[in-house]
Amino acid sequence: MFNSKDLGLRTASITKPARLVLNELRKKGYTVYLVGGCVRDLILKKTPKDFDIITSAELKEVLKTFPRCEIVGKRFPICHVHIGDIIVEVSSFSTTARKQGRNFSRIKSPYDCDEHDYLRWRNCLRRDFTINGLMFDPYEQIVYDYMGGLEDIRKAKVRTVIPANMSFVEDCARILRAFRIAARLRFSFTKDLARSVRHLSSSILRLDKGRILMEMNYMLAFGSAEASLRLLWRFGFLELLLPVQASYFVSQGFKRRDERTNMLLALFSTLDTIVTPDQPCHNSLWVGLLAFHQALVVKPRDPVVIAAFSLSVHSGGSLAEAVNIARRISLPHDPSFNEVLEPGNLHTNCSLLNEIIDLQASVEDALSKMAEESFVSQAMSKHPQAPFSDLVFISFALLMRVRKIFDCVSRGKRGIVSKRGSRTDYDSLAPGSLNTIRRMFARIVFDTVYPPKLNLQDG
């Protein structure tokens, strides 16, 4: 038991929807706790992605308490309580106690353990990582830590609750969650976790493709995309999940612990400056960035072409205006990217227009190949020592949605290119509003090729 005030944990950081759910259940006489990653993030002074609650109430009692509530999940049922547009997840001690899969018969309960302690301890023992095995009672202002999570937070370590090899065999999706957590918090793996990750790497290929897409979205859409890509590359997982991008890293001469950057990392670093754990983007944005970058890898382009293309996407297809604006750009581009050529001989608007249309076709071709197992499987063919992967986890429906981001360029619709640096509409960014995604894509590309910091230094 730890005093939450001593840990610097403030109840004011709990969102209104989570507080409402906590208060309503407590009014009915049930015990309630915040549990998992939200407690960890509050201790670290980070914004939680969401707030999870566990209660002594049965799920059917939670269902009766809130007018907009539903029980989801067959194997491990929980309640989704809808408060406005926010979903608060509520689990029950009685439900989690019935979960099968982990043998507690040889595990001794904590010394001098009462009934309440036993329930909390047993629930925390079922968690994936020690830093997720924390419970916070906001009314008594007590944090319960049975797994050594606070010590691992102090050490900046990701450690499994049970031995890592057993934990990952029990649920191989935890491997991807380990990458996501380590990347977001800038934590490192314990030795046994790092060893087990490498040993059991191929097991993630057995996961449902929808689950892989969900985990990749958590890595790339919530503000830690660059760190996630670096970590996946360091441990050899980029070859399994994104072989095309892994091949690019190899072509750039990137070492596993390389601290340099490249254009792919720079694009996602720019994305990270826009999104946060509680203000993410739709997955169509980062898929579009992958396709756009791959098109430039295949055929590098003049920076004016890239600028005009992004401006055209921004406006929904106003090619003439995009060309006129791009012609007037006097900012220096980043010369370190192999995918960006030195300004060439695009003397006429006609030649520039042709290059823009050609780039749009290249992006669409890159998108199509992302769905071709045969193409993906050949991405690392020059490197036979790399693990084989023909994984295509991006659905056809998602690819079609991404295609709409760029098809406006070839159609040449009229639009207005608004000023750079306009405010981000996060309410439409997460659900994937086409106009918002287009504007964010253009902003990311422009700020990567023409970095504001570089321009300020030169100015």
Side-chain angles (χ1 to χ4, degrees), residues 40-280:
R40 172 203 72 211
D41 290 345
L42 290 174
I43 292 171
L44 288 167
K45 307 295 187 295
K46 292 183 177 293
T47 303
K49 179 174 66 68
D50 47 34
F51 286 83
D52 293 342
I53 294 170
I54 191 165
T55 178
S56 60
E58 297 279 350
L59 292 185
K60 61 183 179 181
E61 297 300 329
V62 178
L63 200 61
K64 293 177 183 178
T65 304
F66 301 98
R68 296 179 60 211
C69 179
E70 58 188 343
I71 297 177
V72 299
K74 294 182 179 180
R75 188 180 176 195
F76 304 133
I78 60 172
C79 276
H80 276 179
V81 181
H82 296 260
I83 308 295
D85 295 331
I86 304 299
I87 294 177
V88 180
E89 290 192 0
V90 181
S91 59
S92 169
F93 278 112
S94 62
T95 304
T96 57
R98 293 194 295 268
K99 288 182 182 180
Q100 302 297 316
R102 190 170 293 178
N103 187 357
F104 291 88
S105 60
R106 296 184 181 180
I107 303 175
K108 294 182 179 180
S109 61
Y111 176 73
D112 195 23
C113 178
D114 64 19
E115 180 183 355
H116 298 294
D117 257 328
Y118 179 76
L119 283 174
R120 289 188 294 259
W121 165 79
R122 188 177 173 109
N123 181 270
C124 291
L125 194 60
R126 296 181 184 277
R127 300 280 164 178
D128 46 11
F129 306 104
T130 60
I131 57 178
N132 290 342
L134 300 167
M135 284 190 187
F136 173 38
D137 183 337
Y139 302 100
E140 299 298 327
Q141 297 187 326
I142 294 173
V143 172
Y144 295 92
D145 176 21
Y146 301 95
M147 304 295 133
L150 289 173
E151 181 63 22
D152 285 331
I153 287 176
R154 282 190 281 270
K155 292 179 178 179
K157 289 287 186 181
V158 179
R159 182 193 309 275
T160 49
V161 169
I162 60 176
N165 61 330
M166 293 173 58
S167 182
F168 294 153
V169 168
E170 185 176 280
D171 181 1
C172 60
R174 288 176 181 154
I175 295 174
L176 297 181
R177 287 205 296 274
F179 281 110
R180 182 221 307 175
I181 292 169
R184 185 185 169 217
L185 302 179
R186 301 300 196 268
F187 279 19
S188 59
F189 294 158
T190 58
K191 289 182 179 179
D192 75 312
L193 192 150
R195 185 167 53 249
S196 295
V197 158
R198 288 190 172 96
H199 180 66
L200 296 170
S201 60
S202 61
S203 66
I204 66 167
L205 297 177
R206 299 197 300 267
L207 286 170
D208 178 79
K209 292 180 180 180
R211 180 60 183 275
I212 294 175
L213 175 60
M214 182 186 76
E215 292 294 341
M216 289 300 294
N217 191 56
Y218 281 141
M219 289 189 215
L220 301 180
F222 287 75
S224 56
E226 181 193 4
S228 295
L229 290 172
R230 287 183 183 275
L231 203 58
L232 291 172
W233 171 245
R234 175 182 166 187
F235 283 89
F237 275 70
L238 207 62
E239 295 91 319
L240 294 170
L241 296 164
L242 296 170
V244 174
Q245 284 66 41
S247 177
Y248 165 73
F249 271 59
V250 173
S251 71
Q252 296 288 299
F254 242 64
K255 306 298 181 185
R256 294 296 179 181
R257 294 177 179 268
D258 212 318
E259 295 183 358
R260 295 176 299 155
T261 192
N262 55 43
M263 190 174 183
L264 180 64
L265 291 173
L267 285 166
F268 280 91
S269 176
T270 306
L271 172 62
D272 289 340
T273 65
I274 298 172
V275 297
T276 60
D278 62 333
Q279 293 179 319

Side-chain angles (χ1 to χ4, degrees), residues 346-369:
L346 297 170
H347 297 304
T348 66
N349 283 357
C350 182
S351 60
L352 180 51
L353 283 170
N354 289 336
E355 284 290 318
I356 296 170
I357 298 300
D358 187 62
L359 176 53
Q360 191 265 349
S362 296
V363 173
E364 289 212 350
D365 183 61
L367 269 173
S368 298
K369 288 180 177 177

Side-chain angles (χ1 to χ4, degrees), residues 286-305:
W286 59 260
V287 173
L289 289 172
L290 290 177
F292 170 75
H293 175 259
Q294 181 57 24
L296 292 182
V297 171
V298 173
K299 184 177 179 180
R301 304 282 176 166
D302 187 298
V304 176
V305 173

